[in-house]
Every structure is written in C-alpha cells, then in structure tokens.
Amino acid sequence: MHDVEVKRRMGEADIAALSKLIEAASHADGHRALGEHKWLDLVQGGREGFAGFVATEATGRHRVIGYAQVSRGAGSWAVEYVVHPHWRTEPQLRGDLVAAALREIAEQGGGHVHVWVPKPSSDDDSVAEAAGLKRGRDLYQMRRSLPVEGLQSTVATRPFRPGADEEAWLEVNNRAFHGHPEQGSWTRRELDERERQPWFDPDGFLLAEIDGRLAAFCWTKVQDDDHDGGEVGEIYVIAVNPDFQRRGLGRELVLAGLEHLHSVGLEKAMLYVDRDNEEARGLYRMLGFHDDHLDRAYTGDISPAGELHTSPAST
Ligand SMILES: CC(C)(COP(=O)(O)OP(=O)(O)OC[C@H]1O[C@@H](n2cnc3c(N)ncnc32)[C@H](O)[C@@H]1OP(=O)(O)O)[C@@H](O)C(=O)NCCC(=O)NCCS
C-alpha cells in the first residue's frame, strides 16, 4: 500500500528523501535513475509546468518508494519515473505514478507526451498500455572508452563554420535521415537554436568534403555523464551524404569525432542509436562500442479534458 502526493516545489527534506531513492535505484540499475536536467529542475524548484509525484509507504516509516516528474518541453511534455528496487514487483505503484503524471498534464491543458523509461521491462510495457500510451522509439545508448587504440582516421575534416555551412549541412542531414521522426526534417531555425546552446562548439562539429561537396559530418558534444557525474563525449549526430555512403566515410568520421573528444581530455564516449538502425549499430560495434542500455519512449496525446488519445507511433 502506498500514497502518492504532488509537489510543485521541493523542500530540503523532500530533496534528501528523493536523493536516497535515486541513489538506491541508480545503484541497482548501474546508471543514474533520473536524467541530469530533471534532477536540476527538481533541486532548483522547477521550470514552468514542473510537478513531482512522491510515493510513500502508507504504513510504517512512510519511506519514499517512488517518484515521477513531469516537465514541459518545447511543444510537448516529458515524464520520467523511478521506483525503489524493493518495490518493483508491484506494478500498481508504477501505474499510480504514471496515472498521476498524466492527470496533471491533462489539468495543465494536455498535449503530446513522452514517457521515457530506461531499461524497460514487461511491467513498464503493461503500465504504459493500461494508461493508453503507445510504444514509441527504442534507443540504445552505446559506449566505449577513449582513446581508440590502433586505429586512426585518415580523412581530412574541418570544423563547421557558423553562418556559412548551415544550408549545405541541412541538405545532407535531411537527405541522410530521410523519414527519421526527429532528425529527418530539420529547419534552419532548429539548427540556429542548437548553435546558441552553451555546449555548442564548432571545433567538435567536423565536416568532410569531396570535390567541394559536403560528403559527411560528425557532430560531437561534451556533456555531464549520468553514470558517474564526470564528463562524457557524445557522438551527437553523424551522417554520410547518401551519394557517398558505403565507402568507409562513416567509419572515418566516427574515428575523427572520437579523436577530437579524446584531444579535449575525455576518456569515454557514448551515443544513442535507434534499435532498428542495423547499419549504424554494425558500424559502432566494429569500432568497439557496446550496448549500455535501452531507453524506451511511450507516447500519447492527452486532451485538456483528460481523455487520452494515442498517436500512431509518433515520437
Ligand atoms: C550509418 C552511416 C553513417 C554509415 O556510413 P557509411 O559511410 O555508409 O558507412 P561505412 O562505409 O563507413 O561502413 C562502415 C560499416 O558500417 C556498416 N554499414 C554501413 N552501411 C551499411 C549497410 N547499408 N548495411 C549494413 N551495414 C552497413 C558495416 O558494418 C560497414 O562495414 P563494412 O563496409 O566493412 O561492411 C550512414 O549509413 C548514414 O549516414 N546513415 C543515415 C544516418 C544515420 O543513421 N546515422 C547514424 C545515426 S545514430
């Protein structure tokens, strides 16, 4: 038996209790239970639309045994939840946390929602289905250590030039990722928005040209590591112009990106790849990446009235 309570601001005692929960879950799972941004939202009081749902034991010491957090992104909502390892055999707890989060979104006007679950189990699938959500994308996080011993890139690359390379990059990106739900139809506005981010570094955004045409690129990003609080280098977006694929350029560009990340002092690299992108997964495996874990998105559209309509596998 448990109770679920909504919190729109967190006091010190709440943060301490949630830290313990997140620590226990992270220890059991081998990776951080709540994403860095979500955790910052929680500690700093939350952005617009923030709501945390804290589940406690209904009896005894009323320990915190579960937590769900709702946050409003650009045009959609995101939900993450954490369950204490000792309470994972009780699907009702997950179900109540997800239901509370979705109710909150309905009360705040509804909209498109992603519920991201790391290392999903069949219980997570059942809970999402019962809440009327559809299974969206499955993403593998793959990792490897740096440097890559014994392999060197042999293709010349140069840094992205803000203000000059945007149109060529957009064309190659959108052709290479044609049909991809998130990466396949970028506009100038989306690219400009990324270039304004504090993490944006043109020196880590490598382009390779053949006969004056953009043939391939590897865009890297340095970020906080959810595993241990250190830093990790991400292969953020990589693609080869379809006119130049299967000539070894993908492999060369991954190596160039990894060399750059090691040159700025990083000792590990990671990336996200769709589960069914066999070409890319084969390439990454060949270069020593291993699957770290799978993240699954469940999606749906919440109407303001609280009635749930699922969208056809949209992400
Ligand atoms: C994935 C991608 C970058 C590979 O680039 P590429 O230059 O064509 O790949 P390479 O010639 O360097 O091939 C390296 C290895 O990747 C794998 N691979 C690449 N394309 C493949 C395909 N069509 N089918 C099967 N394996 C493939 C193979 O293991 C290959 O090694 P091999 O040639 O010895 O068999 C390219 O296909 C691409 O841009 N895809 C669209 C964008 C994308 O999915 N990016 C990755 C997102 S995480």
Side-chain angles (χ1 to χ4, degrees), residues 61-72:
R61 290 166 55 202
H62 302 285
R63 279 175 297 204
V64 172
I65 54 174
Y67 178 64
Q69 187 166 316
V70 169
S71 46
R72 196 195 283 265

PDB file of all heavy atoms in Angstrom, residues 61-72:
ATOM      1  N   ARG A  61       7.231   3.450   8.329  1.00  0.00           N
ATOM      2  CA  ARG A  61       8.060   4.670   8.369  1.00  0.00           C
ATOM      3  C   ARG A  61       7.751   5.637   7.224  1.00  0.00           C
ATOM      4  O   ARG A  61       8.434   6.647   7.074  1.00  0.00           O
ATOM      5  CB  ARG A  61       9.535   4.269   8.354  1.00  0.00           C
ATOM      6  CG  ARG A  61       9.928   3.612   9.684  1.00  0.00           C
ATOM      7  CD  ARG A  61      11.255   2.908   9.590  1.00  0.00           C
ATOM      8  NE  ARG A  61      12.307   3.788   9.124  1.00  0.00           N
ATOM      9  CZ  ARG A  61      13.434   3.362   8.561  1.00  0.00           C
ATOM     10  NH1 ARG A  61      13.623   2.073   8.371  1.00  0.00           N
ATOM     11  NH2 ARG A  61      14.343   4.217   8.181  1.00  0.00           N
ATOM     12  N   HIS A  62       6.785   5.343   6.424  1.00  0.00           N
ATOM     13  CA  HIS A  62       6.381   6.218   5.312  1.00  0.00           C
ATOM     14  C   HIS A  62       7.569   6.600   4.435  1.00  0.00           C
ATOM     15  O   HIS A  62       7.744   7.758   4.068  1.00  0.00           O
ATOM     16  CB  HIS A  62       5.677   7.479   5.840  1.00  0.00           C
ATOM     17  CG  HIS A  62       4.470   7.167   6.673  1.00  0.00           C
ATOM     18  ND1 HIS A  62       3.271   6.751   6.110  1.00  0.00           N
ATOM     19  CD2 HIS A  62       4.299   7.154   8.010  1.00  0.00           C
ATOM     20  CE1 HIS A  62       2.417   6.508   7.081  1.00  0.00           C
ATOM     21  NE2 HIS A  62       3.009   6.736   8.243  1.00  0.00           N
ATOM     22  N   ARG A  63       8.411   5.596   4.147  1.00  0.00           N
ATOM     23  CA  ARG A  63       9.580   5.891   3.317  1.00  0.00           C
ATOM     24  C   ARG A  63       9.161   6.212   1.882  1.00  0.00           C
ATOM     25  O   ARG A  63       8.140   5.723   1.392  1.00  0.00           O
ATOM     26  CB  ARG A  63      10.526   4.683   3.298  1.00  0.00           C
ATOM     27  CG  ARG A  63      11.397   4.617   4.537  1.00  0.00           C
ATOM     28  CD  ARG A  63      12.205   3.369   4.511  1.00  0.00           C
ATOM     29  NE  ARG A  63      11.314   2.204   4.545  1.00  0.00           N
ATOM     30  CZ  ARG A  63      11.663   1.013   4.971  1.00  0.00           C
ATOM     31  NH1 ARG A  63      12.890   0.804   5.398  1.00  0.00           N
ATOM     32  NH2 ARG A  63      10.808   0.012   4.975  1.00  0.00           N
ATOM     33  N   VAL A  64       9.993   7.021   1.229  1.00  0.00           N
ATOM     34  CA  VAL A  64       9.742   7.359  -0.179  1.00  0.00           C
ATOM     35  C   VAL A  64      10.121   6.149  -1.033  1.00  0.00           C
ATOM     36  O   VAL A  64      11.260   5.664  -0.977  1.00  0.00           O
ATOM     37  CB  VAL A  64      10.560   8.603  -0.593  1.00  0.00           C
ATOM     38  CG1 VAL A  64      10.461   8.841  -2.093  1.00  0.00           C
ATOM     39  CG2 VAL A  64      10.056   9.831   0.157  1.00  0.00           C
ATOM     40  N   ILE A  65       9.172   5.634  -1.815  1.00  0.00           N
ATOM     41  CA  ILE A  65       9.421   4.398  -2.579  1.00  0.00           C
ATOM     42  C   ILE A  65       9.273   4.594  -4.097  1.00  0.00           C
ATOM     43  O   ILE A  65       9.573   3.679  -4.861  1.00  0.00           O
ATOM     44  CB  ILE A  65       8.468   3.273  -2.108  1.00  0.00           C
ATOM     45  CG1 ILE A  65       7.007   3.748  -2.179  1.00  0.00           C
ATOM     46  CG2 ILE A  65       8.835   2.827  -0.694  1.00  0.00           C
ATOM     47  CD1 ILE A  65       6.009   2.666  -1.870  1.00  0.00           C
ATOM     48  N   GLY A  66       8.823   5.770  -4.486  1.00  0.00           N
ATOM     49  CA  GLY A  66       8.703   6.010  -5.924  1.00  0.00           C
ATOM     50  C   GLY A  66       8.562   7.493  -6.205  1.00  0.00           C
ATOM     51  O   GLY A  66       8.214   8.281  -5.308  1.00  0.00           O
ATOM     52  N   TYR A  67       8.864   7.853  -7.441  1.00  0.00           N
ATOM     53  CA  TYR A  67       8.805   9.271  -7.798  1.00  0.00           C
ATOM     54  C   TYR A  67       8.562   9.402  -9.298  1.00  0.00           C
ATOM     55  O   TYR A  67       9.138   8.651 -10.094  1.00  0.00           O
ATOM     56  CB  TYR A  67      10.137   9.943  -7.439  1.00  0.00           C
ATOM     57  CG  TYR A  67      10.207  11.399  -7.815  1.00  0.00           C
ATOM     58  CD1 TYR A  67       9.362  12.325  -7.229  1.00  0.00           C
ATOM     59  CD2 TYR A  67      11.116  11.845  -8.776  1.00  0.00           C
ATOM     60  CE1 TYR A  67       9.408  13.665  -7.586  1.00  0.00           C
ATOM     61  CE2 TYR A  67      11.180  13.187  -9.134  1.00  0.00           C
ATOM     62  CZ  TYR A  67      10.322  14.083  -8.531  1.00  0.00           C
ATOM     63  OH  TYR A  67      10.361  15.404  -8.882  1.00  0.00           O
ATOM     64  N   ALA A  68       7.698  10.326  -9.679  1.00  0.00           N
ATOM     65  CA  ALA A  68       7.522  10.647 -11.111  1.00  0.00           C
ATOM     66  C   ALA A  68       7.642  12.147 -11.258  1.00  0.00           C
ATOM     67  O   ALA A  68       7.236  12.898 -10.364  1.00  0.00           O
ATOM     68  CB  ALA A  68       6.153  10.190 -11.604  1.00  0.00           C
ATOM     69  N   GLN A  69       8.217  12.578 -12.367  1.00  0.00           N
ATOM     70  CA  GLN A  69       8.375  14.016 -12.596  1.00  0.00           C
ATOM     71  C   GLN A  69       7.849  14.391 -13.978  1.00  0.00           C
ATOM     72  O   GLN A  69       8.119  13.705 -14.957  1.00  0.00           O
ATOM     73  CB  GLN A  69       9.846  14.401 -12.465  1.00  0.00           C
ATOM     74  CG  GLN A  69      10.054  15.898 -12.519  1.00  0.00           C
ATOM     75  CD  GLN A  69      11.451  16.274 -12.053  1.00  0.00           C
ATOM     76  OE1 GLN A  69      11.942  15.763 -11.058  1.00  0.00           O
ATOM     77  NE2 GLN A  69      12.086  17.182 -12.772  1.00  0.00           N
ATOM     78  N   VAL A  70       7.102  15.483 -13.983  1.00  0.00           N
ATOM     79  CA  VAL A  70       6.521  15.992 -15.227  1.00  0.00           C
ATOM     80  C   VAL A  70       7.250  17.274 -15.587  1.00  0.00           C
ATOM     81  O   VAL A  70       7.457  18.115 -14.723  1.00  0.00           O
ATOM     82  CB  VAL A  70       5.027  16.326 -15.002  1.00  0.00           C
ATOM     83  CG1 VAL A  70       4.452  17.092 -16.179  1.00  0.00           C
ATOM     84  CG2 VAL A  70       4.230  15.056 -14.767  1.00  0.00           C
ATOM     85  N   SER A  71       7.656  17.422 -16.842  1.00  0.00           N
ATOM     86  CA  SER A  71       8.190  18.728 -17.238  1.00  0.00           C
ATOM     87  C   SER A  71       7.738  19.054 -18.648  1.00  0.00           C
ATOM     88  O   SER A  71       7.542  18.168 -19.478  1.00  0.00           O
ATOM     89  CB  SER A  71       9.705  18.788 -17.100  1.00  0.00           C
ATOM     90  OG  SER A  71      10.281  17.655 -17.634  1.00  0.00           O
ATOM     91  N   ARG A  72       7.566  20.343 -18.877  1.00  0.00           N
ATOM     92  CA  ARG A  72       7.061  20.815 -20.174  1.00  0.00           C
ATOM     93  C   ARG A  72       8.260  21.138 -21.052  1.00  0.00           C
ATOM     94  O   ARG A  72       9.132  21.900 -20.662  1.00  0.00           O
ATOM     95  CB  ARG A  72       6.236  22.089 -19.955  1.00  0.00           C
ATOM     96  CG  ARG A  72       5.354  22.461 -21.134  1.00  0.00           C
ATOM     97  CD  ARG A  72       4.877  23.881 -20.991  1.00  0.00           C
ATOM     98  NE  ARG A  72       3.802  24.042 -20.039  1.00  0.00           N
ATOM     99  CZ  ARG A  72       2.508  24.048 -20.362  1.00  0.00           C
ATOM    100  NH1 ARG A  72       2.143  23.845 -21.593  1.00  0.00           N
ATOM    101  NH2 ARG A  72       1.595  24.252 -19.437  1.00  0.00           N
TER     102      ARG A  72
END
